Amino acid sequence: EVQLVESGGGLVQPGGSLRLSCAASGFTFTTFWMAWVRQAPGKGLEWVANIQPDGTAQYYLDSVKGRFTISRDNAKDSLYLQMISLRAEDTAVYYCARYPSPNPYYFDYWGQGALVTVSS
Amino acid sequence: QSALTQPASVSGSPGQSIAISCIGTSRDVGNYKLVSWYQQYPGKAPKVIISDDTKRPSGVSDRFSGSKSGNTASLTISGLQAEDEADYYCCSFAGSGTWVFGGGTKVTVL
């Protein structure tokens, strides 16, 4: 059974940093594109970043470029999102999501989400 | 990276068919056959119901169907049921490794 379990969410002050983790199980992590998608309270979904299976390419939403870094540790079946210079508008539930293989053209599995609250 | 445009809400009676539009541009929806649709219940993670513009993943009810014309994609729910009351989001590849979602549509079953 495919499972994605996020952790690391919490309350952080504006300008602060936080690292989210996503533990993957039930599939061969090393062969799948992965992504982070967020949802602000009461708002819609927003794609944040993705990373290719070997970690050599990453893509970002314009508003998080230079502040967020997506990475993965294939030996630990884990996905990460390092967030710095956090702003109030980054407050959201952050979902870890998987693209199917070999055609990574949609999100086929999602985690339960981790809430990040940016507030003083 | 502008969000795709969806109606905020759509409603229908049980048994009816409803359609949700998703308007993009020639740089996203109109340029790739990569529109997907997601169903989300309150407090839950989204679930894919349509991929690649028109494909229905295994296990998804055949009451859900996708279509596209130019820069506009559509999701049709036929034989509307109470369990279809949820939020629905479209998503498209937007080039250069990036993706864009629609603002979401709340479906109400009257």
Side-chain angles (χ1 to χ4, degrees):
Chain A
E1 179 194 5
V2 172
Q3 284 198 317
L4 300 170
V5 180
E6 300 94 338
S7 59
L11 174 65
V12 60
Q13 292 189 337
S17 301
L18 207 60
R19 188 174 91 147
L20 301 180
S21 299
C22 171
S25 61
F27 64 101
T28 305
F29 184 70
T30 56
T31 61
F32 288 81
W33 281 78
M34 298 294 297
W36 289 98
V37 177
R38 68 184 179 184
Q39 186 169 34
K43 303 297 184 182
L45 301 171
E46 184 175 50
W47 170 83
V48 173
N50 58 22
I51 186 168
Q52 73 176 48
D54 64 4
T56 56
Q58 309 89 32
Y59 302 92
Y60 296 93
L61 178 68
D62 282 347
S63 63
V64 307
K65 279 181 184 175
R67 300 188 302 120
F68 289 13
T69 302
I70 187 172
S71 63
R72 62 194 295 162
D73 185 337
N74 286 345
K76 295 182 178 179
D77 291 347
S78 293
L79 178 73
Y80 305 102
L81 186 68
Q82 177 69 52
M83 303 180 288
I84 67 170
S85 303
L86 282 160
R87 307 166 181 168
E89 54 265 36
D90 296 318
T91 293
V93 172
Y94 284 74
Y95 292 102
C96 167
R98 190 189 84 165
Y99 294 89
S101 177
N103 299 316
Y105 303 144
Y106 60 97
F107 307 101
D108 63 348
Y109 284 93
W110 300 65
Q112 84 289 350
L115 177 62
V116 173
T117 303
V118 184
S119 175
S120 54
Chain B
Q1 294 176 336
S2 299
L4 307 176
T5 301
Q6 296 180 233
S9 63
V10 173
S11 61
S13 299
Q16 286 187 327
S17 293
I18 62 169
I20 302 169
S21 60
C22 171
I23 303 173
T25 71
S26 59
R27 296 183 300 276
D28 39 59
V29 172
N31 199 33
Y32 307 96
K33 198 174 179 182
L34 295 176
V35 173
S36 50
W37 289 89
Y38 301 85
Q39 177 190 60
Q40 186 182 36
Y41 293 109
K44 300 296 185 182
K47 170 193 170 185
V48 62
I49 55 175
I50 294 292
S51 70
D52 305 273
D53 287 1
T54 60
K55 295 180 181 178
R56 204 169 38 247
S58 175
V60 173
S61 171
D62 59 5
R63 297 186 300 102
F64 295 97
S65 62
S67 62
K68 192 175 78 177
S69 177
N71 298 335
T72 301
S74 297
L75 172 71
T76 299
I77 308 175
S78 304
L80 198 62
Q81 299 180 0
E83 67 200 51
D84 299 331
E85 190 161 290
D87 294 324
Y88 293 82
Y89 295 90
C90 62
C91 179
S92 175
F93 183 63
S96 301
T98 67
W99 298 78
V100 61
F101 280 92
T105 298
K106 180 176 181 59
V107 168
T108 301
V109 181
L110 302 172

